[in-house]
Amino acid sequence: MKVFQRSLSYIAIVLIAISSATLQASSGDEQHQSTGNPIDTKEEIQAYIKHHLQDSHDFVLYTNGETGHHVGFPLPIILWDGGLQVFMSSKFHHGETVAESNGNYYKLYHGKIYKTDAAGTIHDDGHGHPSNEKPLDFSITKSVVGMLLTGLLMLLLFSSLAKGYKKGPIPTGIARVLEPLVIYVRDEIAKPNIGEKKYRKFMGFLLTVFFFIWILNLLGLTPLGFNVTGNIAVTACLGIFTMVIYMASGSKDFWQHTLWMPGVPVILRPILAVIELVGFILIKPFSLLVRLYANITAGHFVVMSLIALMILMKAKFGAVGATGMSLVLSLFITVIELLVAFLQAFIFTMLSSLFIGMAVEEHDHH
């Protein structure tokens, strides 16, 4: 009961923080109208939401609408351009200035870093895309920080769980929350899909994927603005990891039924083999990565669109009415997003275990 109450308190704090940050941003926009450059049209709001969903090289916690001053902190820029170039993203001033490093000049343009001159010239290739040279970018972006933070949290949580079992068979503290989830993944996901004999081999991967996605989804609901699982590169890596595991773990029967399907006319076997390989190598990982990416991105987009109602509907319902309506709807969707955060972690883990189970299953031959 205490754990549940603490969870509710955490959720309430997160929602209040989101609401207060939103109200401050709205107030800042009202103040900024005197400068003639507020974000108050449908097109500008859509562009702002799209920018927010993208990865970035710094954290912006709040923007003063009157002065345009960004409050946040920069992240390290690590480039390889004829040598290692390391500096902080504050040199870009949120893309407004050119950064100089060891005589080289770089420009942050639409979230990507291009090599340029001292004036920051960006050349067009004739199709609306920059033609400037791009250095190899190994920078610590906001998504990377989110993944590192999630990895650290998982290390601390499961270290605590392991130490709890040394004290006795009954877990204490945070282990009381983790143990039911671990048992749930084992009994409801791994065993039914992989089987009693082989599920243990894959429990480490399934637990890691489940908690990694779940914690990242929860971080995405905080005012820090993480959108890691809404980054298709991240979900693609998770899907590829699953594909490599079930392809590498495939049994003899699995490969026999995939490459030379028994009971089928010989002339059709090569065609079916190609279809089966395409399904296992492309379609199944693609379904994993797209489902997670699309659901999380859509959730963030809906929440931010509902928050933006306080700006779009201010003229019709007044500032107080539009703000109240926006907050009620956004808080309702945010609570649903808490369920979606768990649900997407469950679905990805369940489908991964299902694909692994299909690969390691031993077929009966009669």
Side-chain angles (χ1 to χ4, degrees):
M1 186 65 182
K2 291 182 178 179
V3 173
F4 180 71
Q5 291 175 347
R6 290 177 182 175
S7 301
L8 288 180
S9 300
Y10 170 76
I11 293 171
I13 291 172
V14 170
L15 295 179
I16 291 171
I18 294 173
S19 303
S20 61
T22 304
L23 288 172
Q24 289 175 355
S26 176
S27 174
D29 284 337
E30 292 176 357
Q31 295 174 358
H32 193 50
Q33 286 180 0
S34 59
T35 64
N37 189 30
I39 298 177
D40 57 1
T41 66
K42 182 179 179 180
E43 292 74 17
E44 290 175 333
I45 290 174
Q46 288 179 344
Y48 179 84
I49 293 174
K50 183 178 179 181
H51 173 75
H52 174 81
L53 293 177
Q54 294 176 343
D55 197 6
S56 64
H57 290 83
D58 55 12
F59 279 89
V60 178
L61 304 178
Y62 172 69
T63 301
N64 189 307
E66 186 175 2
T67 64
H69 178 67
H70 301 289
V71 177
F73 53 91
L75 295 173
I77 301 294
I78 305 172
L79 306 174
W80 182 263
D81 183 24
L84 195 62
Q85 312 288 339
V86 181
F87 54 92
M88 298 301 291
S89 63
S90 55
K91 280 192 172 184
F92 289 120
H93 290 283
H94 308 282
E96 298 172 1
T97 60
V98 177
E100 187 273 333
S101 176
N102 299 324
N104 297 315
Y105 297 93
Y106 304 98
K107 176 74 174 178
L108 185 63
Y109 186 75
H110 292 297
K112 297 181 180 179
I113 299 175
Y114 296 90
K115 192 172 183 179
T116 182
D117 51 26
T121 306
I122 297 294
H123 301 284
D124 196 310
D125 63 355
H127 301 283
H129 303 290
S131 60
N132 295 52
E133 178 185 353
K134 287 198 300 184
L136 289 177
D137 192 354
F138 302 99
S139 303
I140 306 297
T141 63
K142 190 160 62 173
S143 293
V144 175
V145 172
M147 289 186 283
L148 292 175
L149 178 59
T150 300
L152 178 61
L153 287 174
M154 291 175 62
L155 181 62
L156 295 176
L157 290 175
F158 284 100
S159 296
S160 176
L161 177 61
K163 291 178 182 178
Y165 283 113
K166 293 181 180 180
K167 300 177 182 179
I170 300 177
T172 58
I174 192 65
R176 288 188 177 184
V177 179
L178 291 177
E179 186 187 48
L181 292 171
V182 172
I183 294 175
Y184 180 80
V185 173
R186 183 193 68 186
D187 293 344
E188 302 298 330
I189 298 178
K191 282 185 178 180
N193 292 308
I194 301 177
E196 291 279 352
K197 296 181 179 179
K198 299 184 178 181
Y199 80 92
R200 287 182 177 273
K201 179 180 178 181
F202 305 100
M203 275 297 294
F205 172 72
L206 295 177
L207 286 172
T208 301
V209 167
F210 176 82
F211 283 97
F212 184 75
I213 295 175
W214 185 38
I215 294 175
L216 281 176
N217 290 345
L218 292 177
L219 286 178
L221 298 176
T222 64
L224 292 175
F226 288 111
N227 186 34
V228 182
T229 46
N231 188 327
I232 198 167
V234 175
T235 60
C237 286
L238 293 173
I240 291 172
F241 287 153
T242 299
M243 185 266 291
V244 169
I245 288 175
Y246 67 66
M247 293 295 284
S249 304
S251 63
K252 179 181 178 181
D253 286 341
F254 165 76
W255 287 112
Q256 180 181 355
H257 282 73
T258 300
L259 301 178
W260 205 248
M261 193 173 297
V264 175
V266 176
I267 192 172
L268 296 177
R269 291 184 182 184
I271 300 174
L272 293 176
V274 173
I275 295 174
E276 288 291 320
L277 285 175
V278 170
F280 278 104
I281 296 176
L282 295 178
I283 297 177
K284 286 180 171 61
F286 185 76
S287 67
L288 286 175
L289 71 92
V290 168
R291 180 181 289 104
L292 179 59
Y293 162 75
N295 279 282
I296 297 303
T297 300
H300 286 292
F301 194 94
V302 169
V303 171
M304 295 194 68
S305 297
L306 291 174
I307 292 174
L309 285 177
M310 70 173 65
I311 300 173
L312 295 177
M313 304 181 70
K314 185 167 55 177
K316 185 174 182 180
F317 296 98
V320 177
T323 300
M325 184 184 303
S326 173
L327 284 178
V328 170
L329 292 174
S330 60
L331 290 178
F332 174 72
I333 294 298
T334 302
V335 172
I336 294 179
E337 280 293 292
L338 291 174
L339 174 62
V340 172
F342 176 86
L343 188 61
Q344 289 304 314
F346 166 77
I347 291 174
F348 192 99
T349 308
M350 187 270 292
L351 290 177
S352 296
S353 66
L354 179 63
F355 297 155
I356 292 171
M358 293 169 63
V360 301
E361 180 183 9
E362 297 291 344
H363 298 273
D364 295 327
H365 299 281
H366 300 286

